[in-house]
Amino acid sequence: MSRLGSIGARLYRGEVGYDFVGKRMIWYGISILITITAVVGLMVQGLNMGIEFKGGVVITTPKTAVSVTEAREVAEEVSGHIPIVQELGTGGLRIQISDVDTTQADKIKTALADDLKVPEDKLNAELVGPSWGEQIANKAWTGLGVFMILVVIYLAIAFEWRMALAALIALIHDLTITVGIYALVGFEVTPGTVIGLLTILGYSLYDTVVVFDGLKEGSRDITKQTRWTYSEIANRSLNSTLVRSINTTVVALLPVAGLLFIGGGVLGAGMLNDISLSLFVGLAAGAYSSIFIATPLVADLKERDPQMKALKKRVLAKRAAAAAKGESPEGPDGAEDTDGALDGAPADVTPAGAVVGQRRQPTRGRGKRR
């Protein structure tokens, strides 16, 4: 078994672990700082909306010896706007100029034909109105709202309202960071961007729901025992799925990174940039929020419940009494607790985190009953 697989098995069995929930204030602070940076970038920099949302003209040239830089300078001079120029696979150029109407588009086409030394009838000019982009944006907002409502309802029914609220906050966190990075990087927002943003919604919830399912099983009949608090079982559930979450995210990020850095960066494919950047940032933010935001937030909300408060008091009182007698001065798992690690498998907690009786292994060498 590989080293990572060995660590994953030990995490699953509870032999090792990290106190994610106990250090939740650190993660909250980091998340707030990242979110504020994204919001400030969005307010100051703004989104670079594509031609589909602002309207304009797209002019395609046949195969030409004119470079992208030269075409950009000519298009900016004749139009008065900053154009986006891309080289096509056929050797031609795609010149995109926003915020122009039909009359301006005809004049720009004629001027470009003269300056680029290309026959005007060989230039293909397509006028794009902003109404289509507005329809796409409105439908995207509608889809996003319906999705969030359905997610909250489902999680509230399948789990509980606290988990639904935590998942919703984590989802908003992921979308805010993704949009903010888009503003800071300056990538153009196109319908491909909208598709990417809607796609990451499911990925953002996947790991969160997996952890919540283990937490639901682990916290069943939790008030009938006095050894573990809700936060400790939540941390146990999170550690048991940690390697699985990391592996799933890395496997999903590798092809997206190929699209972003090779397809978009090396090959210069604009549409791949629009989709892959939102997917890359959204996947990474979703994995982060499921580990550092959603589960600690559920533990915070649940610990406010009177029953959980009473349970925590009983657990701490029992530990204090045991420590006074010198029976168990170690950490909550019965082993020394250092650097936030919860080392040692709880005897009454299953790999899913459920509270059960002490597990015993059969003793070898016992005689058979006669």
Side-chain angles (χ1 to χ4, degrees):
M1 182 182 295
S2 66
R3 181 176 178 82
L4 183 61
S6 176
I7 293 175
R10 296 180 67 194
L11 283 168
Y12 184 80
R13 294 192 299 266
E15 297 173 1
V16 295
Y18 187 83
D19 193 6
F20 292 102
V21 177
K23 298 181 181 297
R24 55 186 175 269
M25 298 310 297
I26 298 176
W27 320 132
Y28 292 165
I30 294 174
S31 298
I32 291 173
L33 180 61
I34 296 174
T35 304
I36 291 176
T37 304
V39 172
V40 171
L42 183 61
M43 295 174 61
V44 175
Q45 189 77 8
L47 290 173
N48 180 20
M49 305 302 293
I51 193 172
E52 294 85 358
F53 297 97
K54 296 189 295 185
V57 63
V58 178
I59 300 175
T60 305
T61 72
K63 185 175 181 180
T64 177
V66 179
S67 67
V68 172
T69 303
E70 293 173 345
R72 184 182 297 111
E73 293 175 353
V74 171
E76 183 176 357
E77 182 179 352
V78 300
S79 66
H81 298 276
I82 299 177
I84 297 176
V85 182
Q86 296 173 331
E87 186 175 0
L88 303 177
T90 58
L93 299 175
R94 183 178 186 269
I95 304 172
Q96 178 179 305
I97 306 172
S98 302
D99 297 324
V100 296
D101 54 24
T102 305
T103 304
Q104 292 173 315
D106 292 336
K107 293 180 179 179
I108 292 171
K109 179 181 177 182
T110 302
L112 281 175
D114 294 338
D115 291 341
L116 297 179
K117 304 298 187 294
V118 177
E120 186 174 350
D121 59 345
K122 297 295 184 179
L123 294 180
N124 181 24
E126 180 182 357
L127 191 66
V128 180
S131 59
W132 183 78
E134 292 178 0
Q135 294 176 4
I136 293 294
N138 292 334
K139 290 180 180 179
W141 282 113
T142 302
L144 179 62
V146 171
F147 175 83
M148 287 188 170
I149 292 173
L150 293 178
V151 164
V152 170
I153 293 174
Y154 170 76
L155 292 179
I157 295 174
F159 300 103
E160 61 170 300
W161 69 266
R162 296 175 183 85
M163 293 184 178
L165 179 59
L168 180 62
I169 292 174
L171 187 59
I172 295 174
H173 166 273
D174 300 341
L175 291 175
T176 303
I177 291 178
T178 305
V179 174
I181 290 180
Y182 240 91
L184 292 172
V185 173
F187 274 29
E188 187 180 21
V189 177
T190 66
T193 306
V194 177
I195 294 172
L197 287 174
L198 294 178
T199 303
I200 66 173
L201 299 179
Y203 283 105
S204 298
L205 288 171
Y206 175 76
D207 289 335
T208 302
V209 172
V210 169
V211 177
F212 283 177
D213 184 64
L215 180 55
K216 178 183 177 181
E217 292 297 322
S219 60
R220 186 175 298 170
D221 297 330
I222 186 176
T223 56
K224 296 182 180 179
Q225 53 85 47
T226 57
R227 188 171 182 181
W228 311 105
T229 66
Y230 187 90
S231 292
E232 290 165 358
I233 293 183
N235 195 70
R236 165 83 177 193
S237 300
L238 182 56
N239 275 279
S240 66
T241 59
L242 181 61
V243 173
R244 174 182 177 180
S245 299
I246 294 175
N247 288 338
T248 303
T249 303
V250 170
V251 170
L253 282 176
L254 287 176
V256 176
L259 288 175
L260 178 61
F261 299 109
I262 299 177
V266 178
L267 302 180
M271 182 61 72
L272 291 179
N273 278 339
D274 304 334
I275 298 177
S276 58
L277 179 63
S278 58
L279 287 176
F280 188 86
V281 177
L283 287 172
Y288 170 85
S289 64
S290 66
I291 297 174
F292 298 100
I293 301 298
T295 306
L297 190 57
V298 169
D300 257 342
L301 295 173
K302 193 71 175 180
E303 291 285 4
R304 299 173 185 267
D305 185 87
Q307 289 185 336
M308 296 301 107
K309 288 182 178 180
L311 172 63
K312 186 174 183 179
K313 288 182 179 179
R314 295 198 303 269
V315 171
L316 295 180
K318 182 177 180 180
R319 290 178 185 168
K325 296 178 181 179
E327 295 178 356
S328 179
E330 296 85 9
D333 283 335
E336 185 178 357
D337 187 6
T338 59
D339 297 330
L342 303 179
D343 298 323
D348 57 351
V349 180
T350 69
V355 178
V356 296
Q358 185 175 4
R359 294 173 290 182
R360 299 184 182 277
Q361 300 294 333
T363 303
R364 296 181 179 180
R366 288 182 178 176
K368 297 182 179 179
R369 290 188 177 182
R370 300 185 182 273

